[in-house]
């Protein structure tokens, strides 16, 4: 159990650091460059009416015949929506307080940050969130990323909430068929296993980008994490999560090339920089597309309005900026609905081009 307190000194060296040269230009995905999408949004309207004393007996009997148990409304740690014929559910892993600078903007001065905060009605310390995605394709139930798990102590916010919120949404861990991982950071692989080091999703197969798995099970990650600008407790947790959790699921893990098909209607899209082989995930059902952005963008203001601002968790900041701009440009141009892992719950919406940067339009809430 690790207690995390964000008290960090800035480091300029991290901004210029690039641990190694990537062999694949993973910002250019032929899949996205050639496929245009029209995302049709349908909104249901839930109306409620008070029962009048003038209601007739037939109507009264019909009302009494309604089932007493109903599907829980969106909002209690989960949020349902659709991607074409796929049923999707955002699941919250919790929240905690974090300072925007330097955590989300380590290359920005206080003088540069202050007017941005004022213009967006933000405080210097905000509530950070983590949100997973469950997608039912009709063939299998897919969970994308697993949150902090038991690798984070109680001093930083309200984590982990994945298991409790899955149950609130009526989803049991045993019902997950496929666990897809975007990258190997603590807050994405921490929930792969239980306290007893058993797989948390007992019937699932696990999927990683092959080169991302190779990095986090190789010999370089520990020294490179320790030399990064991450807070020390996060360094420790990240190293422990890779060391303890990945071997526990190795014999049930399948590896996919960057840009490759995970399963029917689901593809990895290369998005390196935040981690060596970080990937976003594209879901396609009929004419509709949806992109789980992972950590290419951490916050609607710092990442979209200021895509050159660097969070302190980026492995290769220069590459991460290049990737962020490329992905944001594509989803804005193609009007693809997206999800930001650390965006305010439920973390789904659209990226809109504004001036030389972007703006976040959250999806209209539907109960």
């Amino acid at each position: 159990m690790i207690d995390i307190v964000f008290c960090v000194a800035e480091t300029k060296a991290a901004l210029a650091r690039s641990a190694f040269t990537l062999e694949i230009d993973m910002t250019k995905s032929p899949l996205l460059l050639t496929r245009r999408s029209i995302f049709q949004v349908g909104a249901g309207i839930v109306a409620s009416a008070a029962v009048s004393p003038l209601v007739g007996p037939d109507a009264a009997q019909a009302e009494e015949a309604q089932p007493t148990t109903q599907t829980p409304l969106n909002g209690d740690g989960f949020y349902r929506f659709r991607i074409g014929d796929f049923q999707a559910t955002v699941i919250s892993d919790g929240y905690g307080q974090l300072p925007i600078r330097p955590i989300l903007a380590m290359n920005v001065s206080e003088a540069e940050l202050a007017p941005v905060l004022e213009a967006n009605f933000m405080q210097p310390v905000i509530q950070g969130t983590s949100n997973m995605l469950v997608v039912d394709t009709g063939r299998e139930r897919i969970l994308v990323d697993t949150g902090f798990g038991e690798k984070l102590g109680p001093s930083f916010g309200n984590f982990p909430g994945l298991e409790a919120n899955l149950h609130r949404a009526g989803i049991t861990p045993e019902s997950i068929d496929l666990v897809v991982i975007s990258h190997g950071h603590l807050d994405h692989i921490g929930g792969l296993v239980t306290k007893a080091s058993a797989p948390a999703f007992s019937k699932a197969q696990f999927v990683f980008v092959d080169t991302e798995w190779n990095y986090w099970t190789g010999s370089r990650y520990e020294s490179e994490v320790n030399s990064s600008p991450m807070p020390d407790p996060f360094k420790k947790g990240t190293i422990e999560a890779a060391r303890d959790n990945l071997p526990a699921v190795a014999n049930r893990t399948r590896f996919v090339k960057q840009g490759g098909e995970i399963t029917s209607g689901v593809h990895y899209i290369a998005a390196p920089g935040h981690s060596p082989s970080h990937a976003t995930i594209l879901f396609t059902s009929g004419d509709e597309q949806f992109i789980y952005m992972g950590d290419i963008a951490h916050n609607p203001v710092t990442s979209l309005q200021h895509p050159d601002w660097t969070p302190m968790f980026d492995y290769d900041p220069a590459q991460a900026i290049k990737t962020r701009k490329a992905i944001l440009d594509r989803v804005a141009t193609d009007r693809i609905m997206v999800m930001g892992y650390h965006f305010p719950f439920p973390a789904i919406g659209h990226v809109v081009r504004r001036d030389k940067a972007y703006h976040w339009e959250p999806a209209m809430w539907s109960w």
Side-chain angles (χ1 to χ4, degrees):
M1 197 66 116
I2 298 160
D3 291 346
I4 288 189
V5 178
F6 284 113
C7 181
V8 194
E10 295 178 272
T11 170
K12 295 181 180 178
L15 299 177
R17 179 174 60 83
S18 178
F20 69 98
T21 302
L22 292 163
E23 296 182 356
I24 307 171
D25 182 2
M26 293 178 281
T27 64
K28 297 179 180 179
S29 167
L31 183 66
L32 261 186
L33 285 172
T34 57
R35 182 178 293 183
R36 306 285 293 205
S37 66
I38 299 175
F39 199 97
Q40 300 171 336
V41 180
I45 300 174
V46 180
S48 63
V51 177
S52 162
L54 299 178
V55 170
D58 292 341
Q61 289 176 0
E63 183 181 2
E64 291 174 2
Q66 294 300 314
T68 56
T69 58
Q70 298 180 353
T71 302
L73 294 176
N74 280 335
D76 191 9
F78 65 92
Y79 186 87
R80 296 187 184 90
F81 66 104
R82 299 199 70 83
I83 306 166
D85 292 330
F86 296 168
Q87 174 66 61
T89 309
V90 178
I91 304 289
S92 171
D93 192 41
Y95 53 87
Q97 300 297 108
L98 76 164
I100 293 177
R101 179 180 178 274
I103 299 298
L104 300 181
M106 63 179 291
N107 59 337
V108 177
S109 69
E110 290 185 9
E112 292 175 289
L113 179 62
V116 174
L117 297 184
E118 183 177 4
N120 289 277
F121 305 97
M122 296 174 69
Q123 297 298 317
V125 177
I126 63 171
Q127 189 177 87
T129 64
S130 295
N131 303 287
M132 277 103 265
L133 180 68
V134 175
V135 177
D136 287 291
T137 68
R139 299 174 300 277
E140 52 202 343
R141 174 171 281 175
I142 302 167
L143 170 67
V144 184
D145 288 333
T146 65
F148 279 109
E150 301 297 336
K151 294 295 181 183
L152 186 72
S155 64
F156 178 54
N158 180 30
F159 295 99
L162 174 60
E163 183 177 1
N165 289 327
L166 281 171
H167 282 293
R168 286 193 179 96
I171 300 170
T172 63
E174 295 77 19
S175 72
I176 301 295
D177 300 304
L178 205 60
V179 177
V180 176
I181 299 298
S182 65
H183 65 292
H185 281 172
L186 163 63
D187 52 331
H188 295 258
I189 67 168
L192 283 171
V193 302
T194 65
K195 284 184 178 180
S197 297
F201 306 95
S202 60
K203 297 181 180 179
Q205 182 183 58
F206 303 88
V207 182
F208 280 76
V209 172
D210 55 358
T211 49
E212 183 76 357
W213 175 275
N214 292 342
Y215 176 78
W216 291 105
T217 56
S219 60
R220 298 199 335 260
Y221 79 89
E222 186 168 350
S223 63
E224 291 179 353
V225 167
N226 278 326
S227 64
S228 77
M230 294 180 187
D232 286 343
F234 201 94
K235 293 178 185 179
K236 185 173 186 290
T238 296
I239 291 168
E240 288 184 357
R243 183 190 63 212
D244 300 341
N245 293 8
L246 298 186
V249 300
N251 64 352
R252 292 167 52 186
T253 297
R254 174 164 58 88
F255 307 106
V256 176
K257 297 291 183 184
Q258 274 288 23
E261 183 180 67
I262 298 167
T263 188
S264 180
V266 188
H267 289 76
Y268 274 127
I269 298 173
H274 179 66
S275 70
S277 295
H278 178 281
T280 62
I281 295 134
L282 172 68
F283 293 87
T284 305
S285 177
D287 293 332
E288 297 190 19
Q289 291 184 328
F290 179 87
I291 290 181
Y292 174 96
M293 296 193 298
D295 282 2
I296 66 114
H298 283 73
N299 177 269
V301 172
T302 61
S303 301
L304 271 59
Q305 295 182 23
H306 301 274
D308 289 313
W309 288 7
T310 295
M312 66 192 319
F313 300 104
D314 282 352
Y315 173 81
D316 180 348
Q319 179 62 64
I321 290 170
K322 180 181 177 182
T323 292
R324 181 158 46 253
K325 290 180 176 180
I327 297 292
L328 294 178
D329 179 70
R330 290 172 186 168
V331 299
T333 299
D334 289 351
R335 299 173 61 85
I336 299 174
M337 191 179 224
V338 299
M339 175 177 167
Y341 185 82
H342 294 294
F343 280 29
F345 181 84
I348 58 173
H350 287 86
V351 174
V352 179
R353 191 174 283 101
R354 179 172 293 180
D355 299 325
K356 295 181 179 180
Y358 302 92
H359 178 75
W360 179 242
E361 287 290 345
M364 188 73 72
W365 183 279
S366 176
W367 293 104

